Amino acid sequence: MAPAVLSDFVSWPGVATLAFSTVFYWLSNRSGQKAKELESVPHLNGLWELGKLLESSSSSSSSSSSSSGGKGARSSLASVSGRVCSETPLKCENVPDLGVIHRSITKEVFMKKNDKGEWKRDNSTVTDFTRETQWHLEDGGGKAKVHVKDGKGATGLQLKAVFIGFESEGSSAAGSDGSDISIAANLIKAGADFWQGVKKIGTEKSEGILPLGTTVTCVGEVSKQVSSSPASSWSGSTNDYVLQRPIRGPFYITTQTMPELIQSLSRSSKRWLYVGLGFTCLGSYLIGRKLFKAVMVEWRKKQFRDAIRKKREGGGEEEEEEEKTTEKTCVACMENKYDTVFTNCGHMCMCYACASKTNGKCPICREPSPYKRVYEA
Ligand SMILES: [Zn+2]
Ligand SMILES: [Zn+2]
């Protein structure tokens, strides 16, 4: 019988499953770390607390991240909540809504022929612009403003969809004035589309904004705004702060509250952990089962060989012949030469007469399998 090879013992799907589980553990760990990171960020009940926080962080200056500004610039990681405000809000193109971050996407919608010759609707993004104006957070107190810098890059930012529209291809075509030439041109174009397997049917436009007046929670590095322009000195009694992406650390803009955000991160961490554990169990089971079966197969092979050898010795046959005879003897009757293969597993160990009495189960691996007689030519 053929010697065992590595793949007889190792379940490769099992190994792959275990490898997948490490990816899920990594995801779980990452979400968990993000949640912990956010838990350590001080949350302010009002923007007026910022002054106090920055003073205390400059005196202790232990855990706070380094500021990008010059000497004397105090900064600290913080989480603040407030209403979105701006003196120069952005207008949407198709609706009257005002916002501070605006994203417009144009997609070409077309029908595409797949391999089976069916036409399926598909789309591709043609343009995707995000604009951001100068904006800040305010709370009811009116004593402080927090200017958010480059908020469009923040994690967790979800824009409100304010517009989605579709313009079909025919209505926008410039040359469709009904003249013979334009009809002919459109026919040629349609023909070309057809042969290419792609037919454009229209354009989809959508707009999303972070609307004025939305209450959001921002996490980032907060520092006192350095009044460099004369305009900011006019702001009088209000305190101006800047919130921006820290060099290292969390940068979030979310409509969730801080506890909600932390909870959702912990939840996703747990979810990934359970998925990872599930994959580990499945992988271990697959590997264990395959290994157990392979060991049993080897053990049965040995049992059969020993039984045949014993019988031969009892018969008092010559020693040189022994190896040859045990090697090709039917494991059931121990008389005939084996000539029947179980086609699922490939084990050849029985004569056809004995195999016919097995109910189609291979005696080595005990799995049901069709069997077939083989002839040496
Ligand atoms: Zn037999
Ligand atoms: Zn078998």
Side-chain angles (χ1 to χ4, degrees), residues 40 93 149 216 340:
S40 69
E93 289 147 26
K149 289 272 178 286
V216 293
T340 300

Side-chain angles (χ1 to χ4, degrees), residues 238-288:
T238 62
N239 284 310
D240 286 56
Y241 299 94
V242 176
L243 186 143
Q244 60 192 345
R245 178 187 289 279
I247 294 163
R248 275 187 63 197
F251 184 43
Y252 283 84
I253 297 177
T254 171
T255 50
Q256 290 178 309
T257 65
M258 200 61 177
E260 281 169 354
L261 182 60
I262 291 169
Q263 206 184 17
S264 73
L265 281 169
S266 321
R267 255 205 304 269
S268 73
S269 169
K270 258 184 212 149
R271 219 172 15 237
W272 290 127
L273 178 67
Y274 291 143
V275 175
L277 284 173
F279 269 67
T280 302
C281 289
L282 182 64
S284 308
Y285 167 74
L286 289 175
I287 288 172

Side-chain angles (χ1 to χ4, degrees), residues 33-92:
Q33 270 177 355
K34 278 185 182 169
K36 255 186 218 149
E37 195 178 53
L38 282 180
E39 264 172 349
S40 69
V41 173
H43 183 73
L44 306 180
N45 298 311
L47 300 183
W48 53 271
E49 284 189 353
L50 274 170
K52 219 164 60 184
L53 174 81
L54 290 178
E55 252 165 51
S56 70
S57 79
S58 69
S59 57
S60 66
S61 73
S62 53
S63 61
S64 67
S65 64
S66 62
S67 74
S68 51
K71 56 183 173 180
R74 299 156 173 181
S75 72
S76 169
L77 280 179
S79 141
V80 293
S81 297
R83 263 181 314 109
V84 171
C85 301
S86 175
E87 276 91 47
T88 53
L90 298 169
K91 284 194 187 86
C92 290

Side-chain angles (χ1 to χ4, degrees), residues 5 53 56 68 85 97 100 127 154 157 221 227 295 297 330 338 345:
V5 294
L53 174 81
S56 70
S68 51
C85 301
D97 300 47
V100 295
T127 58
L157 178 67
E221 188 181 75
S227 45
V295 168
V297 163
C330 167
Y338 60 61
C345 54

Side-chain angles (χ1 to χ4, degrees), residues 23 74 97 125 148 168 173 183 222 228 275 300:
V23 174
R74 299 156 173 181
D97 300 47
T125 302
V148 181
S168 63
I183 289 170
V222 186
S228 53
V275 175
R300 282 187 207 116

